[in-house]
Amino acid sequence: MTVIETDVQDGRPRPQRGAKVLDAEKVVMRFGGLVAVNNVDFDVHEGEIVGLIGPNGAGKTTFFNCLTGMYKPTSGTVRFYGEVLPPKPRAVVKAGMARTFQNIRLFGNMTALENVMVGRYCRTTSGAITSVLHGPKYRREEAESRARAAELLDFVGLGKSAELLARNMPYGDQRRLEIARALATDPKLILLDEPTAGMNPQETQQAMDLIFKIRDMGLAVVVIEHDMRFIFQLCDRVLCLVRGEALIWGTPGEVQSDPRVIEAYIGGSELEDDEDDA
Amino acid sequence: MNFVIPTIPDATRAQHASKGWPLALAGSVLLLVSGLLSWSYDPSILGDISIAFWPATFQLFAMILGVIGIVLALMHQGPLSKLGNWFDAALGLRALGTASLLVILFGLFAISYQAGGLININPGGWVALLGAILLLVGGRFVPQRTLHSFAKAKANSTLEIVVIVVLMALVLFGLAYVLGQDDPWVFVGFLIMAGGAAMALARAGFFTWLSHISQRHRHVLTLAAFAVAFLFPFTQDGSDANMSIATQVLIFAATAIGLNIVVGLAGLLDLGYIAFLGSGAYVAAMMSNAASATIGWKPPFVVVMLIGACVAATLGLIIGSPTLRVSGDYLAIVTLAFGEIFRLSMFNLDGNNGPDLTNGPNGIPGIPDLNLFGFDFGKPHEIAGFTLGRFSNYYFVLLLLIGFIILVFTRLNNSRIGRGWVAIREDERAAEAMGVNTFALKLLGFAVGAFLAGLAGTIKAHQDTASSPDQYIFLESAFLLSAVVLGGMGTVAGVLVGATILKLLPEKLRFFSEYRLLLFGLLLVVMMRVRPEGLIASKRRQLEFHEDDEALASEIQQDHLVEKAAEAAR
Ligand SMILES: Nc1ncnc2c1ncn2[C@@H]1O[C@H](COP(=O)(O)OP(=O)(O)O)[C@@H](O)[C@H]1O
Ligand SMILES: [Mg+2]
């Protein structure tokens, strides 16, 4: 399939599509009798924002979990820069894939800054001994982590909230904090599970700007969203899942005009959130 | 304190506001004066409270409460009223009233119980009772003033440092005093008085202020605390009895702080922690110069310490690696079993079953005293005119050890590793998804805890002069865990308090030791209901125990912001 699009998007230059970051082939995820994800092919390239849409219970979050090692797919392969990663979230993060959660999973009793510093964990290696002795490595990494975390908080617009406890922050800020925490792991690909759920139109607009900024930093982005307008403005390509199957996989224009998508959404009743366990 | 006596509706209080203050002040003055009067005809009880103008025990307690009451009252209205802008004198007075009444009633009861009837109470006692009642009633009618936040207080470093040092000196004085008391009535009376006074000061906001200034002068605080601990043996006049208790407390506290790394920081429930202390102790015993030591190699003690600690840590790794992958409940069961396996192994490795390592049920007695760099720990030493006995020698080494353990505790807590532990406690799966190596971190916490316990064990073996299986029963693990839970998860100060209370009470109250299990059990149940995070909890732990408490969250938030602002200002 080809992507024919203009060079400008939302008033910004669209970066060149680069190498293939993520490549999922025939991914199947079964829970007992339920086939939550059925034979889905998917790929993401450098410099791309890819959307994942579909009615509630379509299997979007489950598909994310398969990509990020939270679930081991029943069958099919997921390659990251050509390599099959072990189905361990930690290995996946280390390789350069970070995510946020549909139902926010921040560390509520840590400050915003500390939350983001936890994201730096996998890029630092100070052990117990240097931590106790306050060795040079500890000092360097601690300062570096702190600086980077502060920088990322500024980047997502939470520079002033660094010392707030995550649980005390407004909902929209928590979503942005999750993004900052994911960015702290130095990912090449970031997967956002409904980043605007529960946001008002203004916050949604800010979120969109943020996602563009992330893309402009050189990251590939995958976004799960319900809001059609949001996804069509934002994404280079869109995959529509329905009942675990890929209904259509193409440019926003192609997906938008497909009668099946509209039908799936109307047939798929309301678009409210349901609680996921991931 | 409001559980005991119902509060007064605000409207009623407003009506009688003007009467509250004079009553409270009068009550406090009466308490102070009562200390100068005779309380009893009988000079043989309660450390002689029969003499006027020579206050002892309960007379002193009444005077201390009286002074605090006067200061609080004058803060509310009078020459100290500027301070009343910061401290909540009204709440302080109310708590103090209840505390005073409890102390005085207990004291009067003690007199009449010991001397045979109320008839033995002299006017001093009755004056004190009247004072306490006035203070109680008056305090309840003192209206609260609007307060300024400490955030806006101007910092006065000299004053703050003086306060810290004076406070530490008071702690030293109090500890020396309470250890010197052999009369259980006085001991309990002192506890009620100290607890009540602390409660009153806490209500007045004194400890909030103290935590602010100790944030600013953390090094001064640490230094002062260690100086006080260091000076303690010099107050004991060469008496080994109290120093023996003090070393017991230190060993217990050192081990409990190590356990708090496992429980409070890494969030793992370890029910067999005493086994790690035992591993260290047995290693030291087997390699000592005791007649029944089973290992021929006698390296210097520093090496023995390291070996003991490493053996314990290795055991920790062996127990931890299969169990830490699965949920926390398994760890609790496996550690419980491990504690028993350790004890039974020590009981049985006597040459009849397997190699002769531990001498079986007899253990390894006659472990000689330490001799480090020519310094014989078994002999008393003369320093600056003070005689320091055998236990004092161990006390100083244990002080070093506890300093090291505290260093490990705080520094790990404030590192990348500590943040990882918090993240795991909050949401293990999310932590894993953010790249935190949850298994390795838990294993690390477990092993560090075991290492430190092993370290403490090697010293313990020499101090006890023997190592036997019955020292390492499950009950000891349970007590350690109680010290952590009672004192406060995730803090050093909390565990120090918890360990001191748990070790001191049974030592000082012999009659109590028969029921101590029952009472500790009750205490823990009450704590779980009233204050699950422990007496002195870390803010984070407090938040974790009260996930739904918005008010607490914003209060702690406020404190944190103030601290950060102060830090930035420096
Ligand atoms: N761990 C699980 N066990 C069993 N069923 C699951 C599990 N996770 C998701 N499902 C099911 O898979 C389907 C897809 O869910 P999900 O991926 O959350 O949908 P979406 O994110 O598109 O709303 C739902 O029917 C859900 O109930
Ligand atoms: Mg979902």
Side-chain angles (χ1 to χ4, degrees):
Chain A
M1 114 223 61
T2 48
V3 180
I4 324 134
E5 293 281 308
T6 51
D7 307 344
V8 195
Q9 174 190 29
D10 197 47
R12 300 158 189 263
R14 188 195 293 276
Q16 280 293 304
R17 214 167 85 137
K20 203 180 257 185
V21 179
L22 185 76
D23 188 9
E25 258 178 66
K26 300 205 168 45
V27 172
V28 179
M29 186 73 220
R30 246 187 224 117
F31 295 113
L34 177 86
V35 189
V37 177
N38 196 1
N39 239 359
V40 175
D41 290 331
F42 185 67
D43 61 277
V44 186
H45 291 253
E46 283 175 352
E48 224 181 6
I49 303 176
V50 178
L52 197 53
I53 61 170
N56 243 329
K60 304 181 296 294
T61 300
T62 306
F63 187 53
F64 256 33
N65 288 341
C66 292
L67 298 180
T68 53
M70 310 252 329
Y71 293 162
K72 184 178 176 346
T74 316
S75 67
T77 50
V78 179
R79 287 198 180 78
F80 186 69
Y81 281 104
E83 247 179 81
V84 179
L85 300 174
K88 289 204 179 84
R90 195 156 45 78
V92 169
V93 175
K94 189 106 197 188
M97 218 192 297
R99 67 169 296 172
T100 65
F101 296 93
Q102 178 178 350
N103 50 332
I104 300 170
R105 289 180 80 161
L106 286 166
F107 308 119
N109 297 321
M110 299 177 101
T111 64
L113 189 77
E114 286 168 332
N115 266 278
V116 184
M117 286 177 82
V118 170
R120 292 302 299 161
Y121 186 93
C122 63
R123 300 294 169 206
T124 46
T125 55
S126 295
I129 293 175
T130 181
S131 299
V132 169
L133 299 181
H134 278 188
K137 181 174 186 184
Y138 166 85
R139 287 163 194 271
R140 177 166 39 80
E141 283 191 349
E142 198 67 12
E144 183 266 354
S145 291
R146 196 164 289 273
R148 179 89 180 109
E151 189 186 325
L152 282 169
L153 282 176
D154 275 337
F155 178 79
V156 300
L158 292 176
K160 288 199 169 60
S161 311
E163 295 302 335
L164 293 189
L165 289 174
R167 70 189 248 183
N168 286 348
M169 292 169 77
Y171 194 73
D173 288 0
Q174 292 195 4
R175 288 227 172 265
R176 287 191 284 169
L177 179 56
E178 259 210 337
I179 295 178
R181 184 180 66 176
L183 288 174
T185 63
D186 289 345
K188 301 187 180 78
L189 170 67
I190 186 166
L191 301 107
L192 309 173
D193 198 342
E194 307 202 10
T196 64
M199 283 186 174
N200 62 33
Q202 192 196 346
E203 286 173 324
T204 306
Q205 183 56 45
Q206 285 172 350
M208 189 181 309
D209 290 338
L210 179 60
I211 294 172
F212 276 126
K213 259 168 58 183
I214 292 171
R215 192 268 315 268
D216 293 344
M217 276 188 348
L219 269 71
V221 184
V222 183
V223 194
I224 295 181
E225 243 327 315
H226 278 307
D227 185 337
M228 290 293 185
R229 218 162 359 128
F230 180 82
I231 215 100
F232 292 135
Q233 273 181 51
L234 189 71
C235 298
D236 302 296
R237 287 187 298 154
V238 177
L239 171 68
C240 178
L241 281 184
V242 177
R243 266 172 260 110
E245 308 207 14
L247 186 68
I248 180 167
W249 176 209
T251 63
E254 287 165 3
V255 174
Q256 205 166 10
S257 56
D258 197 301
R260 286 175 300 170
V261 174
I262 298 154
E263 192 202 339
Y265 262 88
I266 295 164
S269 68
E270 28 63 86
L271 299 178
E272 245 125 83
D273 305 345
D274 56 345
E275 276 300 294
D276 288 34
D277 65 341
Chain B
M1 283 293 144
N2 293 340
F3 304 114
V4 189
I5 293 166
T7 42
I8 290 172
D10 283 338
T12 325
R13 179 172 293 140
Q15 264 178 12
H16 302 280
S18 58
K19 293 171 203 152
W21 180 78
L23 279 182
L25 185 61
S28 306
V29 171
L30 281 183
L31 275 173
L32 180 61
V33 170
S34 77
L36 300 173
L37 303 175
S38 161
W39 280 40
S40 164
Y41 297 111
D42 190 343
S44 66
I45 55 165
L46 302 173
D48 194 356
I49 47 175
S50 63
I51 313 174
F53 298 104
W54 189 255
T57 63
F58 280 93
Q59 291 164 308
L60 273 179
F61 303 163
M63 290 179 81
I64 294 172
L65 293 169
V67 169
I68 297 176
I70 292 173
V71 171
L72 284 175
L74 296 185
M75 271 186 194
H76 183 74
Q77 193 177 319
L80 299 176
S81 82
K82 274 220 179 90
L83 280 176
N85 291 334
W86 309 95
F87 295 104
D88 198 331
L91 283 187
L93 282 172
R94 281 176 220 170
L96 193 72
T98 317
S100 302
L101 192 65
L102 282 176
V103 174
I104 304 303
L105 283 178
F106 183 77
L108 297 187
F109 179 75
I111 296 172
S112 41
Y113 181 85
Q114 294 209 316
L118 291 173
I119 192 77
N120 291 292
I121 300 171
N122 261 353
W126 298 118
V127 171
L129 184 63
L130 179 66
I133 292 173
L134 288 185
L135 178 55
L136 178 81
V137 175
R140 242 131 262 273
F141 284 104
V142 174
Q144 276 177 272
R145 285 170 50 178
T146 44
L147 297 181
H148 300 321
S149 155
F150 289 120
K152 296 198 197 93
K154 252 187 282 165
N156 178 342
S157 281
T158 326
L159 175 77
E160 290 168 2
I161 290 173
V162 168
V163 167
I164 290 177
V165 172
V166 166
L167 200 79
M168 282 297 151
L170 281 178
V171 168
L172 169 68
F173 197 77
L175 272 179
Y177 181 81
V178 73
L179 262 178
Q181 292 307 321
D182 295 324
D183 187 339
W185 290 97
V186 176
F187 183 78
V188 172
F190 178 83
L191 284 192
I192 303 178
M193 189 276 292
M199 188 71 154
L201 292 176
R203 282 306 182 95
F206 181 72
F207 289 123
T208 316
W209 178 66
L210 204 63
S211 90
H212 277 293
I213 65 173
S214 57
Q215 282 291 340
R216 278 200 286 274
H217 308 284
R218 206 168 307 157
H219 296 298
V220 178
L221 185 73
T222 318
L223 215 69
F226 269 96
V228 161
F230 177 80
L231 288 176
F232 177 72
F234 294 95
T235 64
Q236 292 303 306
D237 229 10
S239 140
D240 255 6
N242 286 337
M243 287 316 295
S244 155
I245 299 177
T247 48
Q248 299 284 346
V249 170
L250 275 195
I251 283 262
F252 189 69
T255 320
I257 297 173
L259 179 62
N260 206 7
I261 294 182
V262 182
V263 178
L265 300 187
L268 305 166
L269 188 54
D270 187 342
L271 294 177
Y273 193 67
I274 199 73
F276 299 122
L277 186 75
S279 325
Y282 262 100
V283 166
M286 288 188 284
M287 298 177 102
S288 72
N289 286 318
S292 47
T294 48
I295 295 179
W297 185 41
K298 314 288 179 201
F301 183 65
V302 181
V303 178
V304 175
M305 275 181 102
L306 272 181
I307 295 177
C310 289
V311 166
T314 311
L315 286 175
L317 290 177
I318 293 173
I319 305 306
S321 47
T323 39
L324 286 171
R325 284 183 203 281
V326 283
S327 92
D329 310 342
Y330 292 96
L331 185 72
I333 297 166
V334 169
T335 50
L336 179 68
F338 169 67
E340 280 305 282
I341 292 171
F342 173 81
R343 187 178 63 82
L344 290 173
S345 308
M346 296 304 108
F347 197 84
N348 284 304
L349 288 175
D350 57 357
N352 296 329
N353 319 286
D356 183 10
L357 281 175
T358 65
N359 260 344
N362 300 329
I364 302 178
I367 303 173
D369 277 303
L370 283 177
N371 194 327
L372 289 181
F373 314 112
F375 185 90
D376 186 349
F377 278 63
K379 293 207 177 71
H381 293 262
E382 194 86 19
I383 294 174
F386 290 92
T387 317
L388 297 175
R390 171 175 184 272
F391 283 105
S392 303
N393 300 334
Y394 282 100
Y395 178 91
F396 289 121
V397 174
L398 288 170
L399 211 53
L400 280 183
L401 175 79
I402 226 172
F404 173 69
I405 294 180
I406 291 174
L407 186 82
V408 172
F409 182 99
T410 47
R411 291 207 161 165
L412 281 184
N413 190 21
N414 292 323
S415 71
R416 156 186 186 264
I417 293 169
R419 283 191 297 275
W421 281 333
V422 181
I424 293 174
R425 296 203 311 259
E426 296 261 316
D427 185 339
E428 186 164 345
R429 294 236 300 156
E432 186 80 21
M434 287 302 128
V436 176
N437 192 342
T438 55
F439 171 66
L441 271 186
K442 287 196 281 184
L443 197 57
L444 177 76
F446 203 66
V448 169
F451 183 90
L452 295 175
L455 217 52
T458 55
I459 299 178
K460 178 180 160 64
H462 286 274
Q463 191 213 307
D464 290 351
T465 67
S467 197
S468 58
D470 53 313
Q471 290 173 306
Y472 304 104
I473 52 179
F474 166 68
L475 214 53
E476 297 296 326
S477 294
F479 277 138
L480 282 169
L481 201 61
S482 313
V484 171
V485 172
L486 175 72
M489 290 200 193
T491 56
V492 169
V495 178
L496 285 176
V497 171
T500 311
I501 293 178
L502 284 192
K503 264 292 171 198
L504 219 51
L505 281 187
E507 288 290 342
K508 279 292 161 189
L509 305 177
R510 286 288 167 196
F511 65 89
F512 164 94
S513 59
E514 268 174 56
Y515 305 101
R516 67 176 185 160
L517 280 183
L518 181 71
L519 290 177
F520 286 163
L522 273 178
L523 191 64
L524 284 186
V525 171
V526 171
M527 282 299 287
M528 284 294 117
R529 287 293 304 156
V530 182
R531 205 175 152 83
E533 67 271 31
L535 290 174
I536 308 177
S538 76
K539 286 176 187 165
R540 184 109 61 198
R541 272 302 194 167
Q542 216 172 348
L543 286 167
E544 283 171 28
F545 276 105
H546 302 277
E547 280 301 346
D548 302 323
D549 193 338
E550 298 294 328
L552 178 75
S554 60
E555 186 185 314
I556 289 179
Q557 177 77 75
Q558 226 35 55
D559 277 357
H560 180 72
L561 289 178
V562 169
E563 263 163 41
K564 283 289 156 186
E567 228 170 73
R570 250 172 295 143

